[in-house]
Structures are given as C-alpha cells and as structure tokens.
C-alpha cells in the first residue's frame, strides 16, 4: 500500500506539494491540450481529494492557465513543470500530474484517453526496445 504523505515537486524544486491520501488509477491523456502543455505524446494524471492536497513551498512561482472553460493548469513559471489541473466544476478534486510525483505510489496506468486526438507519430502498442538509460550507455549495454 502506498505510504502517505505523498510528496511532489517541480523540476527546479521551487514548488513542492504534499498529498495526505490516496491517488486514483492513472489516466494517460492524449488530448491536444495535454500534449502541448507537457510536450509529450500524452500526459499521466491521477486524481486526489482536494482536501488531501496542499502546497508546501513555491506558491509565488505557480502560474495558472485556463486550458478550457472548466480547467486550470498549474505550472511552475520558473521551470515550466506541469504540476496540477483543477476543475472549476469539480472543486472537491485535484488532478495530479504524475511526472511531478517524487514518492513511490501504487497507482498504475488504467487506460489511454482522448486517443482520437493522439499525435500521428505516436504509435500505440508498438513494442519498442526499452533501455534502463539510453542505447550505448547501459551498464551491460543490453536492453533492459
Ligand atoms: Zn520549478
Ligand atoms: Zn488531456
């Protein structure tokens, strides 16, 4: 079982947060807003109770962007890390951008969503080689 509190932070460590409760399974979101905001093929997001979430440091570094009428994306204006999405129509929850989480968690990806909006170069289901570090830089120089 996941130990709480869960801790998270941005790339520059200026913004830090704590979650005193469970996370939902993880959505892998291919929507165009997530792809743009995260600079990735898809974002990795889980839901926590808003009552369990608190910022520990760096509130002055937080910037919010209204990505759609009911969504506010929170990110660090110093390093650009996406940290949280708030839904103004569901104030009781927060959406945690899982790449910012520092603590281990039992939450695992549950599904891919908004797949109709996926990037054309993003080929789902491809069984590409996986490296622990990078080709040519593996401890034993073999795929993991
Ligand atoms: Zn930062
Ligand atoms: Zn999305």
């Amino acid at each position: 079982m996941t130990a709480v509190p869960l801790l998270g932070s941005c790339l520059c460590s200026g913004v830090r947060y704590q979650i005193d409760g469970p996370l939902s399974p993880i959505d892998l979101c291919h929507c165009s807003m997530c792809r743009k905001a995260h600079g990735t093929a898809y974002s990795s997001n889980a839901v926590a109770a808003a009552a369990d979430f608190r910022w520990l440091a760096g509130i002055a570094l937080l910037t919010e962007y209204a990505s759609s009428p009911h969504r506010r994306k929170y990110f660090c204006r110093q390093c650009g890390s996406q940290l949280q999405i708030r839904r103004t129509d569901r104030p009781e929850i927060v959406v945690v951008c899982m790449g910012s989480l520092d603590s281990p968690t039992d939450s695992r990806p549950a599904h891919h969503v908004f797949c109709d909006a996926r990037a054309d170069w993003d080929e789902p289901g491809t069984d590409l080689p996986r490296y622990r570090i990078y080709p040519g830089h593996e401890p034993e120089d073999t795929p993991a």
Side-chain angles (χ1 to χ4, degrees), residues 3-84:
V4 292
L6 295 166
L7 299 174
S9 61
C10 65
L11 177 60
C12 75
S13 301
V15 182
R16 293 185 294 110
Y17 63 82
Q18 175 172 327
I19 305 169
D20 290 306
L23 288 171
S24 72
I26 300 165
D27 284 343
L28 305 176
C29 185
H30 295 251
C31 85
S32 62
M33 290 171 287
C34 283
R35 288 193 285 108
K36 293 283 185 185
H38 297 255
T40 54
Y42 51 85
S43 66
S44 308
N45 306 309
V47 172
D52 290 336
F53 186 97
R54 62 189 167 111
W55 300 108
L56 297 176
I59 287 175
L61 291 174
L62 281 173
T63 301
E64 73 176 86
Y65 176 72
S67 58
S68 57
H70 292 294
R71 282 180 172 70
R72 302 285 183 276
K73 289 178 175 287
Y74 288 84
F75 58 96
C76 174
R77 67 186 162 100
Q78 188 158 266
C79 69
S81 294
Q82 298 286 324
L83 295 160
Q84 184 189 93

Side-chain angles (χ1 to χ4, degrees), residues 68-116:
S68 57
H70 292 294
R71 282 180 172 70
R72 302 285 183 276
K73 289 178 175 287
Y74 288 84
F75 58 96
C76 174
R77 67 186 162 100
Q78 188 158 266
C79 69
S81 294
Q82 298 286 324
L83 295 160
Q84 184 189 93
I85 304 162
R86 291 229 182 207
R87 293 182 54 171
T88 56
D89 57 341
R90 292 196 61 195
E92 74 280 11
I93 62 164
V94 296
V95 179
V96 178
C97 301
M98 291 298 286
S100 67
L101 196 68
D102 296 312
S103 298
T105 175
D106 290 335
S107 288
R108 291 292 180 269
H111 43 228
H112 292 262
V113 297
F114 289 98
C115 292
D116 282 356

